[in-house]
Amino acid sequence: MTKEELPGINALQSWKQVIGRFDKALAELSDEQMQKQVAPGRNRLFYLLGHLTAVHDRLFALLGVGERLHAELDEPFISKPDGAVADPVSASELRKAWAEVNSKLTAALEKFSAAEWVEKHTAVSDEDFATDPTRNRLAVVLSRTNHVSFHTGQMILAK
Amino acid sequence: MTKEELPGINALQSWKQVIGRFDKALAELSDEQMQKQVAPGRNRLFYLLGHLTAVHDRLFALLGVGERLHAELDEPFISKPDGAVADPVSASELRKAWAEVNSKLTAALEKFSAAEWVEKHTAVSDEDFATDPTRNRLAVVLSRTNHVSFHTGQMILAK
């Protein structure tokens, strides 16, 4: 690998490590435990997993790397707060969706060249990107990696 | 800025954003609230702040960017679990130490060139770094940024 390729590889390693830690905590939770709230009056772990799955599923379009897999998760887990609608899927279906989305996303990230990592994401216009080239794919992936870390910290408290 | 400089700038933005979010949550907590545990039987917020401060203070040596400021925080907040020793500083002193450490660290990160971001950190040998050049400063900063995110997720639950 060249020096220019290293930052993308580092970002990918960080992404994988953080998802690996979340997955480890998730694997230790039963489907029943997923109905627990992360703290009194807060979201259930089930909702948190649905939320992360929907947010990651939206990355396919945002990074321009293919079609999303689970558009049906947006309404219950992004538009609506926890408890607003009946759970649209079972815990095992949700675990499977989460794994599928991340597996496909990670495969796409592994293909990025150094130049592709710093290409613009699709939610920024050409004009805005010309002014601010930090609004790139790398920024999106770092942000979502932090987002998973944030919720992993909550998840391990509920065990 | 050049394309080669972008990843380091993105990493720095992510670091600043995550610390900014933590600081916002911290500013909303009184010194009394910092004595609360993040969850029943878990660490106090006070300990969590001490832990993060000590871990960040160790980054000066790990990144090779100067002398640490608060070696006295290692024992109470890294070696020992919460409650093992009397709190060595007041809440306001700890808030000040946290701000000082991050301010000095961020100033050092802002000076890194693209090449300096992917130089080895000081806890890896030349031989090991030759085999695995991902063990660089960028990897350390991404890891610590995720670490702050992890604890921010816990902190906001205690409010």
Side-chain angles (χ1 to χ4, degrees):
Chain A
M1 66 189 89
T2 66
K3 280 197 178 176
E4 288 68 35
E5 288 170 327
L6 278 169
I9 295 167
N10 282 128
L12 181 61
Q13 283 181 341
S14 174
W15 161 267
K16 286 180 180 175
Q17 183 177 55
V18 161
I19 290 178
R21 284 188 192 137
F22 183 91
D23 284 346
K24 185 170 179 292
L26 180 62
E28 290 170 7
L29 291 173
S30 68
D31 291 353
E32 291 69 37
Q33 285 175 313
M34 284 175 63
Q35 293 299 323
K36 284 179 66 177
Q37 294 174 323
V38 296
R42 301 280 185 155
N43 293 331
R44 290 170 303 146
L45 296 166
F46 183 91
Y47 182 86
L48 194 157
L49 180 62
H51 171 69
L52 284 169
T53 306
V55 167
H56 283 205
D57 197 42
R58 287 178 161 195
L59 285 177
F60 292 108
L62 191 55
L63 298 172
V65 294
E67 294 298 314
R68 65 184 303 179
L69 303 174
H70 293 286
E72 77 281 4
L73 300 179
D74 276 11
E75 197 207 344
F77 296 116
I78 294 185
S79 317
K80 307 256 183 179
D82 192 12
V85 293
D87 291 336
V89 289
S90 69
S92 63
E93 286 166 336
L94 194 54
R95 288 177 195 262
K96 194 175 159 216
W98 167 247
E100 282 172 347
V101 166
N102 288 328
S103 170
K104 191 179 165 190
L105 267 179
T106 302
L109 298 182
E110 283 173 338
K111 293 198 189 90
F112 283 167
S113 66
E116 285 167 342
W117 270 106
V118 294
E119 280 176 9
K120 82 178 193 70
H121 62 68
T122 63
V124 63
S125 69
D126 289 339
E127 296 76 38
D128 288 349
F129 186 65
T131 323
D132 182 4
T134 68
R135 300 178 69 178
N136 54 36
R137 287 161 158 172
L138 179 59
V140 169
V141 173
L142 295 182
S143 170
R144 294 308 180 278
T145 304
N146 281 316
H147 183 233
V148 178
S149 293
F150 181 93
H151 287 305
T152 305
Q154 300 177 331
M155 192 156 185
I156 61 127
L157 293 181
K159 274 199 298 191
Chain B
M1 65 189 87
T2 66
K3 281 198 179 177
E4 287 67 35
E5 288 171 326
L6 278 168
I9 295 166
N10 282 127
L12 181 62
Q13 283 181 342
S14 174
W15 161 268
K16 286 181 180 175
Q17 184 178 54
V18 161
I19 289 177
R21 285 188 193 138
F22 183 91
D23 283 346
K24 185 168 179 293
L26 179 62
E28 290 170 9
L29 291 173
S30 67
D31 292 352
E32 291 70 37
Q33 284 175 312
M34 282 176 65
Q35 293 299 323
K36 284 179 65 177
Q37 293 173 323
V38 296
R42 301 279 186 158
N43 294 331
R44 289 170 304 147
L45 296 166
F46 183 91
Y47 182 86
L48 196 157
L49 180 62
H51 171 69
L52 284 169
T53 305
V55 167
H56 283 205
D57 196 43
R58 287 177 162 198
L59 285 177
F60 292 109
L62 191 55
L63 298 172
V65 293
E67 295 298 314
R68 65 183 305 179
L69 303 175
H70 293 286
E72 77 282 3
L73 300 179
D74 276 11
E75 196 205 346
F77 295 117
I78 294 185
S79 317
K80 306 254 183 184
D82 191 12
V85 292
D87 290 336
V89 289
S90 69
S92 64
E93 285 165 336
L94 193 54
R95 288 176 195 263
K96 193 174 161 217
W98 167 247
E100 282 172 347
V101 165
N102 288 328
S103 170
K104 190 179 164 191
L105 267 179
T106 301
L109 298 182
E110 282 173 338
K111 294 198 188 91
F112 283 166
S113 67
E116 285 167 342
W117 270 106
V118 295
E119 281 176 7
K120 83 177 193 70
H121 61 70
T122 63
V124 63
S125 69
D126 289 339
E127 296 77 36
D128 288 349
F129 186 64
T131 323
D132 183 3
T134 67
R135 300 178 69 177
N136 53 37
R137 286 161 159 170
L138 179 59
V140 169
V141 173
L142 295 182
S143 170
R144 293 308 181 277
T145 304
N146 281 316
H147 183 233
V148 178
S149 294
F150 182 93
H151 288 304
T152 306
Q154 300 176 332
M155 192 157 185
I156 62 126
L157 294 180
K159 274 198 299 192

